[in-house]
Every structure is written in structure tokens, then in C-alpha cells.
Amino acid sequence: MSTRRRPEIASRKQPQQARSSELVASILQAAAQVLAEEGAARFTTARVAEKAGVSVGSIYQYFPNKASILFRLQIDEWMQTTKMLRNILEDASTPYLERLHAVVHAFLRSECEEAEVRGALNDAAPLYRDSPEARQARAEGDQMVEAFMMEALPKASAASRKLAGDLIFTTLSTVGNSFSQTRRTRAEIKAYADTMADMFCAYLQALRQD
């Protein structure tokens, strides 16, 4: 019985010159537009080439197939999300509860603004869920949460901090994904984020009093 071959997801090469970098950027921008407009099921290299105004051969210089384009889009999304969370959570000059409020607001806004692309990338997730890049992204996220919870709950046990961090950030991710599936106004996002952030903050404050 033959096994299905896993598609290659790594990029073929990295652009070395400004012109090449611009080409790759145009390809990725076009790919994100195709993904948002047509979803993962109808995402093809040919459609990306058409949208970018380049030949399919130009795309193949850098990406061996559509899976590798999707993977690059996902890596970029991971990096942007990680940077956003790090900038907020590691700002020691801001009280930890204010940081938690800011994270909830920023995350929900991001989820809603990029809902179409994120949803399509989730459809393609089995291609790269177990990749080294995915494991690294999860590890970096875990480290940020662990450091934040250490600051928020300095007297709690490691197990209690882990439970609290998992509950807060898993809930944020799950609810954010569900909430963003419906088009939301800025007022709706703010109201929802305010309520969720207040709930998380009340939970942390209760844990600090135990």
C-alpha cells in the first residue's frame, strides 16, 4: 500500500537582490488577495501569477508549489502575531493588567481584520502543523506567556501559572477565531474585547488573592 507523498513546503531560494525581493513581495501580496477572495480550496499558483502579473515560471523560481506559498504566508503571519504580542507583553513599563487589556484588543482586531486569510490558512494547516517553524512559533508563544504569568502571579506555583496562562490565551485564541467569522464593526470589537479583558483581569486578580 503506497503512502501519499507530503508536498514540499520550503521555499526554493531566498531573494538576494532588491528586484528579487520586490518580486517575492508582489507574489505574497497577490497570494494573500487570492486566498482572501477565493479560499484555500481554489487557491492555485496560476491564480497567484495572474493576480501578481507575473509568469508561473517566475513564481516557481522561489516557490515549488502552492503549498510552499501558503506556508510562507503562514510563517509571516506567525512572525507578525508573535511580534505584536511580544511588544505588548514584554513592556515592563506598563502594568500587567493594562498589558493584558491591550493584548486582548490587539488580538481581536487582528483576527477580524484578517479573518478571510486566517480562515483559509487554517484550512491548509495540516500541511505544516508539525513543521519546525510551527513548533518554534508555539515554543516562542509559550515562553512569552510563561514570562508574563510569572510577573502576573509571582507567588503562585508553576502549575497554577501554567493553568492560568493556558486558560487565558487558549480562550483568547479560540474565541477570537469564532468571533472573527462574522463581520464586526469597530464598536463591536471594542465592546467584546473590553468584556473579555475585564473577565481575564478579574480572574488574575482573584488568583493573586488566594
Side-chain angles (χ1 to χ4, degrees):
M1 180 176 175
S2 61
T3 58
R4 188 175 180 180
R5 184 179 178 184
R6 185 180 181 86
E8 183 181 354
I9 59 176
S11 300
R12 280 207 163 106
K13 65 177 182 177
Q14 296 299 320
Q16 302 298 321
Q17 299 178 348
R19 184 175 180 181
S20 299
S21 296
E22 291 174 0
L23 172 60
V24 170
S26 296
I27 292 170
L28 293 173
Q29 182 179 17
Q33 292 173 353
V34 172
L35 200 60
E37 293 168 2
E38 303 186 25
R42 300 186 62 185
F43 182 90
T44 66
T45 304
R47 286 290 294 114
V48 173
E50 179 183 1
K51 178 71 73 173
V54 301
S55 68
V56 173
S58 295
I59 293 180
Y60 284 149
Q61 291 183 56
Y62 300 97
F63 303 99
N65 48 45
K66 70 176 186 179
S68 67
I69 302 175
L70 290 170
F71 185 52
R72 172 61 184 273
L73 289 176
Q74 181 64 83
I75 290 175
D76 288 350
E77 193 276 327
W78 284 333
M79 292 176 62
Q80 291 168 6
T81 300
T82 299
K83 182 179 180 181
M84 175 189 72
L85 294 177
R86 178 177 289 115
N87 287 342
I88 298 172
L89 290 178
E90 295 183 356
D91 179 12
S93 64
T94 303
Y96 75 95
L97 292 180
E98 290 184 21
R99 276 179 270 163
L100 185 53
H101 259 274
V103 160
V104 173
H105 277 265
F107 187 81
L108 284 188
R109 283 198 305 270
S110 177
E111 287 287 295
C112 291
E113 289 170 359
E114 302 177 12
E116 292 87 355
V117 172
R118 290 178 189 273
L121 286 175
N122 285 338
D123 292 339
L127 293 173
Y128 40 72
R129 183 178 290 126
D130 297 323
S131 68
E133 291 86 353
R135 291 195 293 271
Q136 180 180 349
R138 288 193 292 268
E140 290 182 2
D142 290 344
Q143 289 171 2
M144 282 190 293
V145 171
E146 182 180 356
F148 177 77
M149 297 310 299
M150 177 75 76
E151 183 177 355
L153 301 172
K155 297 181 180 180
S157 66
S160 295
R161 287 196 298 268
K162 185 178 188 312
L163 175 61
D166 286 347
L167 190 151
I168 290 173
F169 288 94
T170 299
T171 299
L172 177 59
S173 177
T174 303
V175 172
N177 179 61
S178 176
F179 180 72
S180 64
Q181 290 180 14
T182 300
R183 190 175 296 278
R184 307 288 182 174
T185 66
R186 291 185 178 181
E188 287 176 324
I189 296 171
K190 182 180 184 304
Y192 209 90
D194 279 338
T195 301
M196 184 181 294
D198 287 345
M199 180 180 67
F200 290 155
C201 289
Y203 171 57
L204 285 183
Q205 287 176 309
L207 289 177
R208 286 173 69 97
Q209 294 172 3
D210 289 346

